[in-house]
Amino acid sequence: MAEKEMSVVRNLDVKRYMGRWYEIASFPSRFQPKNGVDTRATYTLNEDGTVHVLNETWSDGKRGFIEGSAYKADPNSDEAKLKVKFYVPPFLPIIPVTGDYWVLYIDDDYQYALIGQPSRRYLWILSRQNRLDEEIFNELVQKAKDVGYDVSKLHKTPHSETPPEGEEGPKDTKGIWWIKSILGR
């Protein structure tokens, strides 16, 4: 079966997109701990038009995080194709790692989104709340399937009843979660 061409959102309102998003589901990634919970991303618009990215997850009761930046892949395009850049390892950020961040779908109220990239190796379902209605979730899964994602790899992200606020909890200052994730643990 031929893959359907992957289209992205056009004319994304970047200011409305800013703020906190909870990871409802994703493809497992070597860049995240396997036992991560309450995973979320917070986006803040910088004066130069780039976006500050703060990705957080809690693993074994400790907050792991990585900061980076996002920018339009083609500043002259109206497509929501972004590049994200992180420096790793998080405890000594010296190696730049850049990836694609394509907004494949977002609802009219900017409350939930489907994020992917052209190789279809990564996929995220994000929501402004740490829970998403099952019917909406299934619609987003179907949208991903329709453009060629193997949705059997999708893993729902566990969330607490009350998500952590701010930077609660002890920090993983040594980047142990990152080292474990690289080793596949």
Side-chain angles (χ1 to χ4, degrees):
M1 178 176 150
E3 289 180 347
K4 181 179 173 186
E5 185 175 335
M6 195 180 313
S7 62
V8 299
V9 170
R10 292 186 177 274
N11 300 306
L12 180 74
D13 185 338
V14 175
K15 287 182 181 173
R16 286 183 69 197
Y17 195 77
M18 296 299 98
R20 179 162 290 159
W21 289 89
Y22 293 92
E23 180 186 279
I24 301 301
S26 68
F27 281 2
S29 160
R30 64 182 178 154
F31 300 110
Q32 288 181 257
K34 291 190 184 327
N35 63 344
V37 299
D38 294 319
T39 304
R40 65 191 187 194
T42 305
Y43 304 120
T44 309
L45 191 59
N46 296 320
E47 285 183 24
D48 65 0
T50 62
V51 175
H52 176 261
V53 177
L54 171 62
N55 286 345
E56 301 170 283
T57 192
W58 278 257
S59 176
D60 299 324
K62 293 185 179 178
R63 175 181 171 258
F65 67 96
I66 190 166
E67 294 181 88
S69 62
Y71 52 92
K72 286 194 76 165
D74 177 357
N76 299 316
S77 173
D78 67 349
E79 293 181 312
K81 293 181 178 179
L82 305 174
K83 291 285 189 184
V84 290
K85 183 189 299 186
F86 295 99
Y87 287 88
V88 295
F91 51 87
L92 182 63
I94 55 174
I95 303 166
V97 175
T98 303
D100 292 301
Y101 183 106
W102 288 13
V103 183
L104 304 177
Y105 177 82
I106 191 161
D107 72 301
D108 292 338
D109 295 325
Y110 283 58
Q111 294 302 299
Y112 48 91
L114 182 65
I115 310 301
Q117 43 83 266
S119 74
R120 295 173 174 80
R121 284 191 312 229
Y122 300 102
L123 182 69
W124 295 269
I125 293 176
L126 304 179
S127 173
R128 295 290 189 180
Q129 306 297 318
N130 67 346
R131 304 266 189 283
L132 186 63
D133 177 82
E134 198 66 23
E135 186 176 328
I136 293 169
F137 175 80
N138 291 334
E139 288 172 14
L140 293 173
V141 170
Q142 187 60 50
K143 286 179 186 301
K145 187 175 181 180
D146 290 346
V147 293
Y149 278 93
D150 175 3
V151 296
S152 69
K153 296 190 292 187
L154 205 54
H155 169 77
K156 283 194 172 182
T157 306
H159 285 278
S160 308
E161 279 302 313
T162 314
E165 289 299 321
E167 298 177 4
E168 285 181 11
K171 291 185 178 82
D172 176 6
T173 56
K174 295 180 180 69
I176 299 300
W177 70 268
W178 188 82
I179 293 167
K180 283 182 178 178
S181 67
I182 293 299
L183 298 174
R185 298 190 176 143

